Amino acid sequence: MTNDRPAAARLRRMRWTLTLVYAAVSAACLITLVFIAASIDARSASRSLDAQVSARATALSRAVWMDHGVLHLEPLSEDDLAKASTVTAVLRRVGTGPVEVRWVRPSHAVLPHASGLDALWTSTVQEQGTVLATKVGADGRKLRWAAAPVWNTDDIGAVVLTAVELAPEERSHAELVRWLTAGCAVLVFASAGTGHLLSGRSMRPALLALDQQEQFLAEAAHELRTPLATLRLTMENSDTATPRAASAMPDAVRLVDHLDRVVAGLLSRARIEAGSRQLELTPLRLDQLVEQVVDELPDTNADIMLRTEATIVLGDPDLLAQAVRNLIANALRHGAAADGPPPVDVHVAAGRVSVRDWGPGIAPAERERIFGDRVTGGRGGIGVGLPIVRWVAELHGGRAGAVQSPGDGALVELVLPQHSPS
């Protein structure tokens, strides 16, 4: 069978849908984790930077002092801490005048505009302690500033500024985000591939079962079309003359019976495999069931020799009767002797139903293939009778197969576990 069947295509589309859903869920989870990790890194870096620049400003504000309004900046020139920051500066305001820059390092450092310096001074005076702010310098660089007060008795006489450039931290954070994003993409593709592989493995039995079922139905359709065509031809010929009509009726009845068996078998199998019918296992006498099947067979010229011994099995009466009927019908169909009506031997004992015919037999290479869902060649073409026999046997925990028979003909057996009443 090809892979373009609608049901198989639906399963493949379902597999891709599951893969996409799995990948989407994985991507959502990983993106959330990336967002959380990036946020944590940004907050951590910001806190670390703030702590660093604030500690420098506070330490430097304690290194300078004011004496009777005179600001002493000499310690800053010798303090290595003043060189550690990107910019270090000292601001002072006399009265209500503008904020003046009294000391800056490096000398070429670019400070915020006058309004920015005024804002830093005002915030420090209001907070009476170290304040933090992000300002953009005249050269466009973004700096994180810390302003710490220098006390003149009870008033703030100066403010020490330290600043650290934010660009390195931002580049480091951006690089982390890029790596996290790349890792997220790799993991999404890996999870999608894994999901696709797992979904394929989980659906493989379903695809195999679907393939077998559709293959079986295709062969069954062929099996139904053959007797229908023959029946149509027989009935058309019967319209031409009354004697021919009378002779054609037995063939028509035989074909209808064959169709009834095929349809009943397919219907039972479809219902059980679809779950619309439950397998009903009850203790029953297998020998009596076979006797009933033989009695209900349509009137044929076949010579059926039945030998039975009492044996009890646990099974579904309808399905077992169908399997036995298919065994005997197969022998009648393919076991005709060349010199007369087909003789068939049926033997029942110890949970085993053996059906022997005296036809051309079954080649060893064909003994297993005739029980497959796809049966071609062999003993007369395509059929679904024996595959149903094996299906019923396996459904009851038994087996069915063709065995070597002494002499001519074929020997086919249905073997079921015996049941011991408690």
Side-chain angles (χ1 to χ4, degrees), residues 302-350:
D303 181 14
I304 299 178
M305 301 295 297
L306 177 62
R307 293 177 295 125
T308 63
E309 298 178 13
T311 178
I312 301 176
V313 298
L314 198 64
D316 185 300
D318 293 335
L319 290 180
L320 289 180
Q322 187 177 25
V324 172
R325 192 178 298 111
N326 286 355
L327 278 179
I328 299 175
N330 180 75
L332 293 174
R333 183 181 181 187
H334 301 293
D339 54 352
V344 175
D345 291 341
V346 181
H347 182 213
V348 184

Side-chain angles (χ1 to χ4, degrees), residues 23-33 184 188:
V25 172
S26 301
C29 295
L30 289 172
I31 289 172
T32 302
L33 290 177
C184 175
V188 167

Side-chain angles (χ1 to χ4, degrees), residues 72-90:
H72 294 271
L73 301 174
E74 296 83 2
L76 292 180
S77 301
E78 302 174 357
D79 198 328
D80 292 335
L81 195 60
K83 306 174 184 178
S85 299
T86 304
V87 179
T88 303
V90 178

Side-chain angles (χ1 to χ4, degrees), residues 157-174:
V159 171
V160 175
L161 301 180
T162 58
V164 175
E165 190 174 357
L166 292 178
E169 287 293 333
E170 291 178 347
R171 285 194 297 268
S172 176
H173 178 69

Side-chain angles (χ1 to χ4, degrees), residues 13 37 42 50 78 101 109 118 134 157 174 180 189 275 319 332 347 360 366 390 396 411 413:
R13 286 196 297 269
D50 285 351
E78 302 174 357
V101 180
D118 184 78
T134 300
L180 288 174
F189 281 112
L319 290 180
L332 293 174
H347 182 213
E366 299 289 329
R390 171 163 288 182
H396 289 77
L411 177 60
E413 293 184 337

Side-chain angles (χ1 to χ4, degrees), residues 244-308:
R244 295 186 65 181
S247 63
M249 289 309 295
D251 291 336
V253 172
R254 178 180 58 81
L255 291 171
V256 169
D257 289 337
H258 176 65
L259 283 173
D260 181 69
R261 290 193 300 270
V262 171
V263 172
L266 293 175
L267 185 60
S268 298
R269 180 168 181 173
R271 285 176 174 174
I272 289 179
E273 291 185 346
S276 60
R277 177 191 167 188
Q278 298 297 323
L279 184 65
E280 299 178 359
L281 300 179
T282 59
L284 55 87
R285 286 277 298 273
L286 183 61
D287 54 305
Q288 294 178 354
L289 182 141
V290 175
E291 290 174 356
Q292 182 179 357
V293 169
V294 173
D295 290 339
E296 294 175 352
L297 287 175
D299 188 17
T300 64
N301 294 327
D303 181 14
I304 299 178
M305 301 295 297
L306 177 62
R307 293 177 295 125
T308 63

